[in-house]
Amino acid sequence: MITLFENIKTHLPFTLLTKKEFDHIKNDAQIVYYPNDTVLIGKDKTPENLFVVIKGIVEVFDENEEHIDMYHTHDIFGGIEIIEDQPSEYSYKVTEELICFEIPKASFLDICESNKDFKHYFFSSIVERIELLKEKKEYASMSDLMIARLDESILHKACVIASNVSIVDSLKRMDEEGASCLLVQNDEGYGIVTDADFRYYILQKEEKSLENISQIQSYPAISVKNGELLFNILLLMTEHSIKHLPVLDDDNNVLGILELVDLLSFFSNQSHLITVQMERAQKLENVVAAAKRLNVMIGALHAKGVKSRYIAKLVSEINRKMYMKLFKMIIPHTWHDKCTLILLGSEGRASQILRTDQDNALVFEKGFMPQDAASVTQRFIEVLDEIGFPRCEGEIMMINPKWCKPIEAYKEDIYDWMEAPTYEKFMDMAIFFDSTPVAGKLSLHTELIDYLFHKVEQTPSILMHFARAIETFESPLGLFSQFVHDKAHKNEIDIKKGALFALIHGVRALALEHQIRATNTTLRIKALNNSGFLSKEDATELMEALEVFTTLRLHSQLSQLAKGEKIDNYISVVNIGKLERDLLKEALKTVNKFKKIVSYHFHLSIVG
């Protein structure tokens, strides 16, 4: 028993106890067995023990036998009722033979009295538990940063000058290549010239007759070999107060220049590095190379516990720069003031973090439809292929004529969605309503959204049918009873179908009703709160539930990416930690509550 009880020491809330407090509970706890169908806590009964599950399953039901919750290994229940000395609102029933610890009510209350953090844990919100999860991830990520090594992907191209070249010609060369420093090739090794050296030249050129670049170089240049630990490089650059560092291969050939700002970017989130590379790109291959660094940035931010919605916002901004650059390089200049590039679906909502699929379209102005549209759009999609965006299985891409046509054709679609609605048309309507323009004549997109709002105003009953899609997938509030049982996804939940879709689409339907132009789900929730439809409490719960789902999905997808597996929306409910599982439970309850709000608001019970 001692060994078993020691195992829970590493799980919240027991990690909050002192040794004396933990020993007190351990000495009073007992291991108990219960067969199937045992009612541990009856409705309107106050528990006499705190239960800690070792093995088995306990399910919670209300008076109508509706499934409310589920507990298994390392889960705790009964604490709130004991602390508040109130009878349970639900019935706790063993549905898989149970072995558990029972901690007597008196011992539990003694610890709650002496340890306020321990007591508070039982009442902590999703927001507070997410902060605990963030702290855990920040601690775990430190070792990864300490062992990261330098590779060529973060280097800038070196501008190498012969030692006898004049200073003026060297400066011209530096400007032509867009370099931030010069490497001077001497008979023995390299020197380096930076802005500080050029300032020295301006002030001293006449007095000291400075003409050749070798006269103002810092020699020998401090350098490192490729593969060196990044942390060691940071120490070196800090020690010598340098911002530019030549990187050499084993034969002392120059591989490139490492800039301090990029090194610091790596230790923060790499966003600066990617953005600079994107903006400096003169060729498509440079855009592709910069965009491919996104996954590294995402992994670093996730490891540090940064909220997934902030990661998504940063990724979205970088992707917008990428799309603007691709639009400028691939789309003919004669089209630029006659069409707009729009992103749809998860990209339009700025919620796509890892590249799961392409969702894009072109809208041309009235009467304009170029003959070579097919070949141009094909090239655009091929570049996205090269970057790593999988093609959309539903063909929501500009190579599909459905998503590449003049504005009047899109208006015909919107009219058709209202007059002859079907489930498929509602999905097209949802995809389009989530769209955002990124390049070209942006007013074309504004005109289409205005037209959509106008048609919905004329046909308000369409919203009831549009919102009904939230009932498409069963909510996995039965939680672990909603496991996928096929061999490929045993004990996993499709978080997109089981939770995200209902939350996102419910918010989308309300946003359409309230003519909210924001496409991001979090911003839509805030707007619904500002309009008075959602209370501050409900809005906060929804945003944090969305955070839980996207964080768990991102964690799973990063693991799949590392293993070279196909990225999907499945989350293992048995492999995640207890804290994550608790968060998932609470988030699913929030979605179920929200579905009831949407159903009541749009009268979905009477929709045929």
Side-chain angles (χ1 to χ4, degrees):
M1 172 176 168
I2 293 176
T3 303
L4 280 173
F5 205 81
E6 285 290 329
N7 186 42
I8 72 170
K9 202 182 221 179
T10 59
H11 298 281
L12 284 166
F14 298 102
T15 56
L16 303 172
L17 299 179
T18 65
K19 183 179 185 304
K20 182 179 179 181
E21 290 166 342
F22 185 79
D23 288 342
H24 176 39
I25 284 184
K26 182 172 67 176
N27 293 334
D28 290 348
Q30 297 183 44
I31 293 181
V32 185
Y33 164 81
Y34 291 102
N36 286 350
D37 298 325
T38 302
V39 177
L40 297 175
I41 306 174
K43 186 180 182 304
D44 298 325
K45 302 292 183 183
T46 302
E48 293 300 318
N49 297 287
L50 178 75
F51 296 88
V52 184
V53 179
I54 299 173
K55 186 178 180 181
I57 293 176
V58 175
E59 297 190 51
V60 185
F61 302 92
D62 65 10
E63 58 186 2
N64 299 316
E65 291 300 309
E66 181 179 347
H67 192 282
I68 301 298
D69 209 338
M70 174 178 280
Y71 297 94
H72 61 75
T73 305
H74 296 142
D75 283 343
I76 306 169
F77 58 93
I80 294 177
E81 291 89 345
I82 292 175
I83 293 170
E84 295 191 338
D85 192 25
Q86 65 178 20
S88 173
E89 297 180 14
Y90 308 111
S91 175
Y92 292 72
K93 184 177 181 181
V94 177
T95 56
E96 184 179 295
E97 291 182 312
L98 178 69
I99 300 174
C100 67
F101 288 112
E102 287 186 350
I103 299 172
K105 177 179 180 179
S107 299
F108 174 61
L109 289 175
D110 284 345
I111 301 303
C112 288
E113 185 64 29
S114 65
N115 191 319
K116 300 303 180 185
D117 289 337
F118 179 77
K119 179 180 179 181
H120 178 70
Y121 175 83
F122 291 89
F123 300 91
S124 58
S125 65
I126 290 180
V127 179
E128 292 167 321
R129 295 190 185 188
I130 283 177
E131 287 303 310
L132 290 172
L133 188 62
K134 175 183 175 182
E135 290 172 9
K136 184 174 75 172
K137 287 183 177 179
E138 284 179 336
Y139 178 80
S141 69
M142 287 304 297
S143 60
D144 294 333
L145 289 174
M146 296 296 288
I147 63 174
R149 292 186 179 274
L150 175 65
D151 65 71
E152 295 181 52
S153 62
I154 65 172
L155 301 183
H156 295 263
K157 182 181 177 182
C159 182
V160 183
I161 297 288
S163 60
N164 60 353
V165 176
S166 73
I167 296 174
V168 173
D169 288 343
S170 299
L171 186 57
K172 289 179 180 178
R173 170 86 176 278
M174 180 179 174
D175 185 59
E176 289 170 359
E177 296 193 15
S180 58
C181 67
L182 291 173
L183 281 188
V184 181
Q185 190 164 21
N186 300 281
D187 293 337
E188 293 291 334
Y190 296 93
I192 190 167
V193 178
T194 65
D195 290 342
D197 299 308
F198 283 119
R199 285 197 298 270
Y200 173 80
Y201 162 69
I202 292 170
L203 295 173
Q204 305 288 335
K205 62 180 178 179
E206 294 180 359
E207 180 181 343
K208 298 189 177 181
S209 301
L210 302 176
E211 295 181 0
N212 291 341
I213 196 70
S214 59
Q215 293 177 283
I216 64 169
Q217 67 177 325
S218 298
Y219 177 85
I222 298 170
S223 62
V224 294
K225 292 295 179 67
N226 194 33
E228 179 61 80
L229 289 170
L230 288 176
F231 190 76
N232 289 345
I233 295 174
L234 182 60
L235 291 176
L236 179 70
M237 297 182 80
T238 302
E239 178 185 356
H240 294 280
S241 299
I242 55 178
K243 299 178 181 178
H244 306 84
L245 190 67
V247 179
L248 311 178
D249 64 16
D250 292 334
D251 297 321
N252 290 323
N253 297 313
V254 179
L255 295 174
I257 299 293
L258 176 64
E259 296 188 6
L260 179 61
V261 67
D262 296 329
L263 182 59
L264 294 175
S265 177
F266 177 88
F267 280 101
S268 56
N269 58 38
Q270 303 202 37
S271 60
H272 170 80
L273 175 61
I274 298 170
T275 302
V276 168
Q277 289 180 336
M278 199 82 72
E279 290 175 346
R280 288 180 179 174
Q282 299 297 318
K283 300 178 182 178
L284 277 174
E285 52 262 37
N286 301 132
V287 179
V288 172
K292 284 184 175 180
R293 292 199 59 79
L294 263 180
N295 288 348
V296 179
M297 182 198 80
I298 293 166
L301 289 172
H302 178 67
K304 293 176 185 177
V306 176
K307 287 191 173 186
S308 59
R309 64 171 172 260
Y310 297 141
I311 300 176
K313 184 176 181 180
L314 184 57
V315 169
S316 176
E317 288 302 317
I318 293 174
N319 278 341
R320 283 176 68 93
K321 290 181 180 293
M322 178 199 71
Y323 277 108
M324 290 170 68
K325 201 77 172 181
L326 294 182
F327 183 87
K328 182 179 179 181
M329 290 180 165
I330 299 173
I331 304 299
H333 290 284
T334 54
W335 298 12
H336 286 190
D337 61 349
K338 296 181 179 179
C339 73
T340 182
L341 168 64
I342 62 175
L343 304 180
L344 310 117
S346 59
E347 287 194 88
R349 292 193 304 274
S351 64
Q352 187 176 116
I353 301 179
L354 292 177
R355 303 181 186 103
T356 52
D357 59 3
Q358 300 182 28
D359 293 297
N360 49 68
L362 279 178
V363 181
F364 295 103
E365 68 179 15
K366 186 175 182 180
F368 179 73
M369 187 66 204
Q371 296 295 316
D372 55 345
S375 60
V376 172
T377 55
Q378 182 67 32
R379 177 59 180 146
F380 197 97
I381 297 302
E382 287 173 352
V383 173
L384 291 177
D385 290 341
E386 191 176 349
I387 289 171
F389 282 92
R391 296 199 180 193
C392 176
E393 293 182 359
E395 297 187 346
I396 305 167
M397 300 175 289
M398 63 175 67
I399 54 173
N400 181 351
K402 180 179 180 179
W403 299 105
C404 180
K405 55 193 178 186
I407 188 171
E408 60 265 30
Y410 282 100
K411 287 185 176 180
E412 289 175 6
D413 286 345
I414 293 172
Y415 180 85
D416 190 43
W417 296 340
M418 305 297 158
E419 299 300 319
T422 64
Y423 178 80
E424 289 73 21
K425 291 176 184 178
F426 279 141
M427 288 300 95
D428 285 344
M429 182 173 162
I431 290 165
F432 181 78
F433 183 49
D434 288 349
S435 64
T436 186
V438 292
K441 189 177 181 180
L442 307 187
S443 60
L444 294 173
H445 179 264
T446 303
E447 185 178 338
L448 284 174
I449 296 299
D450 288 343
Y451 184 71
L452 175 62
F453 284 154
H454 174 66
K455 295 305 294 182
V456 169
E457 269 189 325
Q458 289 184 326
T459 322
S461 61
I462 201 73
L463 288 167
M464 299 169 64
H465 301 277
F466 181 71
R468 192 183 181 190
I470 65 167
E471 299 176 342
T472 303
F473 305 109
E474 285 293 322
S475 171
L477 191 56
L479 204 62
F480 306 144
S481 62
Q482 294 291 329
F483 280 172
V484 178
H485 291 291
D486 62 66
K487 292 182 180 179
H489 298 290
K490 185 178 180 182
N491 294 339
E492 293 181 337
I493 287 177
D494 185 332
I495 203 67
K496 181 177 181 180
K497 291 181 179 179
L500 280 169
F501 179 80
L503 194 161
I504 291 169
H505 189 69
V507 170
R508 179 193 290 133
L510 292 167
L512 184 57
E513 180 185 40
H514 287 77
Q515 296 193 2
I516 295 169
R517 291 181 181 272
T519 58
N520 179 262
T521 303
T522 297
L523 294 180
R524 284 172 170 173
I525 292 171
K526 289 180 178 179
L528 289 168
N529 170 233
N530 292 336
S531 71
F533 180 83
L534 287 177
S535 68
K536 185 175 181 180
E537 181 183 359
D538 285 343
T540 300
E541 286 184 356
L542 276 179
M543 288 189 291
E544 294 307 333
L546 180 62
E547 178 68 28
V548 169
F549 299 141
T550 53
T551 298
L552 291 177
R553 180 172 67 169
L554 177 58
H555 185 76
S556 177
Q557 289 179 340
L558 285 170
S559 176
Q560 292 169 335
L561 188 67
K563 296 174 184 176
E565 300 173 351
K566 182 180 178 181
I567 293 175
D568 57 34
N569 294 294
Y570 289 97
I571 293 175
S572 170
V573 189
V574 294
N575 291 334
I576 60 176
K578 180 184 180 302
L579 181 56
E580 289 92 338
R581 194 167 65 245
D582 288 346
L583 286 168
L584 180 56
K585 284 183 183 181
E586 294 303 316
L588 288 168
K589 290 179 186 177
T590 297
V591 171
N592 196 52
K593 174 184 172 183
F594 178 62
K595 285 180 69 175
K596 291 177 180 178
I597 291 173
V598 174
S599 180
Y600 177 80
H601 177 73
F602 287 111
H603 308 290
L604 299 188
S605 61
I606 63 172
V607 177

